Amino acid sequence: MKRLVSLDVLRGLTVMFMIFVNNGAGDEIFSTLQHSKWNGMTPCDLVFPFFLFIMGISTFLSLRKGGFHWTSRQAHKTIKRTLLLFVIGLLINWFDMAMDGRPFDIAHLRIMGVMQRIAICYGFTVAAALTIHHLTHSFRGMGLLVAVLLVGYTLILLLGGGYDYDSSTNLLSRVDHAVLGDSHLYHKSPVDPEGLLSSLSAVCNTMLGFLMASWAFRKPDEASAQSQVTMLSRLMVCGAALAFVGWLLQFGLPLNKRVWSPSYVLLTCGLAALLQGLLVWWLDVRPAQHRLAQQVASPSSMVTMTLIFGTNPLFLYIVSELLSIVFGSTGIKQSAYDAIHFVIVNGYWASVAYATLFVVLHLAMGAVLWKRRIFIKL
């Protein structure tokens, strides 16, 4: 099976933007480059759900190689990777505390986080997909599971005050406090943005990506022109349908990344599928292989830059988190921003310049791996 360039490009774009928006500097940052405080959605709120959706597609393509069978080897691989991702997330949280001078303050170690949510979504999706395929020899049951999770989570939000901007009345916050404890939570919003109950909704992004792939990429000959056109049409139709339903639902269930609302799940999955479809058309369907080959060979091309991030996504993201902590704790970030701000008087654009240079730093590190064909799988 030929590797889909469009999938690596979308993953690379997502990771690049994720690193960019996570590393603004100074007090003046464009509102479009910040996560929404509560209800609503900014471009920043697209990156994490996009990554989870893409992970669902990648999981389908990976499991297809083994015929979607539960084996002791597959079970071991799934458990090992899930635990590895979760532990890496914990270590990032610990490293943040250690750089703050509290390396032994385990009583206040935050348990959840981005990597932990990625681990949960990956492990749950693999277990659900292989179990359902074993029982039914299809993936139709995953669609039902997604529906059950989203409907159930909707009831939790509506009946449990899930949209309350008050941790004392919001059921999501109360569950996290009861299970994880106040000292192990994120405290910059009423609810932990990677909390326990909201993970029920977040896994739907990954499962919808898996389902989309099982329909759009069901044939193993993605390299054929007919299969690519089929891929494109199915991605665009499903993407448009999900985005429309998500947009419609927001009038009763507002878009909210902090609580990972069902409308947010459907709209972000729809937009991700549409963008994936456009990239399939541009990079996999259009009869311009010679043009693409030139772009991939050119180290300055946008396609190559996204492939550099897309082929080592988690590694570069983890490095960005660690460097961000180091730069922030040691004063490097502030000094660099002050130097940029001296040249770029406008604080908003100085922040953009700092974040851009931070991405370029990771591009340089990724380029070394890309040139040596080193792909670090986590």
Side-chain angles (χ1 to χ4, degrees), residues 152-171:
Y153 189 61
T154 296
L155 294 176
I156 290 174
L157 291 179
L158 296 179
L159 301 178
Y163 282 104
D164 292 353
Y165 196 75
D166 184 346
S167 59
S168 65
T169 60
N170 192 307
L171 182 61

Side-chain angles (χ1 to χ4, degrees), residues 254-293:
L255 297 169
N256 190 311
K257 179 188 181 294
R258 304 286 180 175
V259 304
W260 215 278
S261 62
S263 56
Y264 177 69
V265 171
L266 297 177
L267 181 58
T268 54
C269 284
L271 293 176
L274 287 171
L275 182 54
Q276 180 69 72
L278 290 174
L279 290 172
V280 166
W281 170 76
W282 180 41
L283 299 173
D284 297 312
V285 173
R286 291 179 68 192
Q289 286 81 5
H290 64 283
R291 177 184 59 80
L292 177 58

Side-chain angles (χ1 to χ4, degrees), residues 334-347 350-351:
Q334 187 61 49
S335 297
Y337 172 74
D338 289 341
I340 294 171
H341 198 3
F342 181 77
V343 178
I344 304 175
V345 179
N346 186 293
S351 176

Side-chain angles (χ1 to χ4, degrees), residues 1-8 61 64-65 217 219-224 228 231 283-286 288-289 292:
M1 182 189 70
K2 181 182 177 181
R3 189 179 182 96
L4 288 172
V5 175
S6 56
L7 184 61
D8 285 332
L61 296 176
R64 186 172 65 181
K65 298 174 184 177
F217 306 153
K219 294 182 179 180
D221 57 336
E222 277 90 6
S224 72
Q228 290 171 351
M231 246 192 275
L283 299 173
D284 297 312
V285 173
R286 291 179 68 192
Q289 286 81 5
L292 177 58

Side-chain angles (χ1 to χ4, degrees), residues 22-267:
N22 284 346
N23 289 281
D27 298 324
E28 298 174 302
I29 301 176
F30 288 113
S31 59
T32 53
L33 298 180
Q34 299 183 64
H35 293 293
S36 56
K37 183 178 180 181
W38 197 241
N39 289 341
M41 190 172 73
T42 70
C44 291
D45 296 325
L46 296 175
V47 290
F48 195 12
F50 270 37
F51 186 88
L52 294 180
F53 179 86
I54 297 165
M55 184 169 68
I57 296 178
S58 300
T59 300
F60 171 82
L61 296 176
S62 176
L63 293 180
R64 186 172 65 181
K65 298 174 184 177
F68 304 106
H69 297 305
W70 261 129
T71 62
S72 57
R73 181 181 179 183
Q74 181 60 57
H76 179 265
K77 178 182 176 182
T78 301
I79 294 171
K80 180 181 177 181
R81 189 181 188 217
T82 301
L83 291 176
L84 175 64
L85 294 175
F86 199 96
V87 169
I88 288 174
L90 283 177
L91 290 176
I92 290 173
N93 292 348
W94 172 83
F95 185 67
D96 191 16
M97 287 199 321
M99 291 300 295
D100 192 39
R102 299 179 294 121
F104 304 109
D105 190 14
I106 305 302
H108 291 87
L109 174 66
R110 186 187 174 204
I111 295 176
M112 300 300 288
V114 171
M115 290 299 297
Q116 293 89 319
R117 172 155 285 180
I118 290 174
I120 291 170
C121 291
Y122 167 76
F124 188 94
T125 298
V126 172
L130 295 184
T131 301
I132 289 173
H133 188 268
H134 175 74
L135 296 175
T136 66
H137 303 290
S138 72
F139 297 111
R140 286 188 291 271
M142 286 189 72
L144 178 60
L145 179 57
V146 168
V148 169
L149 287 174
L150 290 181
V151 170
Y153 189 61
T154 296
L155 294 176
I156 290 174
L157 291 179
L158 296 179
L159 301 178
Y163 282 104
D164 292 353
Y165 196 75
D166 184 346
S167 59
S168 65
T169 60
N170 192 307
L171 182 61
L172 276 62
S173 177
R174 285 157 51 198
V175 168
D176 286 337
H177 276 80
V179 177
L180 301 176
D182 179 74
S183 298
H184 298 292
L185 298 177
Y186 182 85
H187 293 289
K188 296 180 181 179
S189 72
V191 300
D192 191 314
E194 284 84 40
L196 297 175
L197 286 181
S198 59
S199 294
L200 295 173
S201 184
V203 297
C204 293
N205 278 81
T206 307
M207 287 198 292
L208 283 171
F210 188 99
L211 275 171
M212 191 82 70
S214 71
W215 189 46
F217 306 153
R218 66 175 61 171
K219 294 182 179 180
D221 57 336
E222 277 90 6
S224 72
Q226 183 178 359
S227 292
Q228 290 171 351
V229 171
T230 300
M231 246 192 275
L232 172 62
S233 60
R234 288 175 174 173
L235 284 169
M236 299 303 283
V237 169
C238 287
L242 286 175
F244 177 74
V245 174
W247 173 82
L248 204 60
L249 277 179
Q250 70 170 315
F251 296 104
L253 296 168
L255 297 169
N256 190 311
K257 179 188 181 294
R258 304 286 180 175
V259 304
W260 215 278
S261 62
S263 56
Y264 177 69
V265 171
L266 297 177
L267 181 58

Side-chain angles (χ1 to χ4, degrees), residues 293-351:
Q294 291 173 355
Q295 285 184 326
V296 172
S298 171
S300 62
S301 73
M302 186 61 184
V303 170
T304 301
M305 285 192 288
T306 56
L307 287 174
I308 287 172
F309 281 93
T311 50
N312 278 299
L314 284 178
F315 173 75
L316 290 175
Y317 170 75
I318 291 167
V319 171
S320 77
E321 288 293 286
L322 296 177
L323 280 183
S324 179
I325 293 169
V326 171
F327 285 6
S329 300
T330 60
I332 294 176
K333 179 177 182 178
Q334 187 61 49
S335 297
Y337 172 74
D338 289 341
I340 294 171
H341 198 3
F342 181 77
V343 178
I344 304 175
V345 179
N346 186 293
Y348 292 98
W349 287 109
S351 176

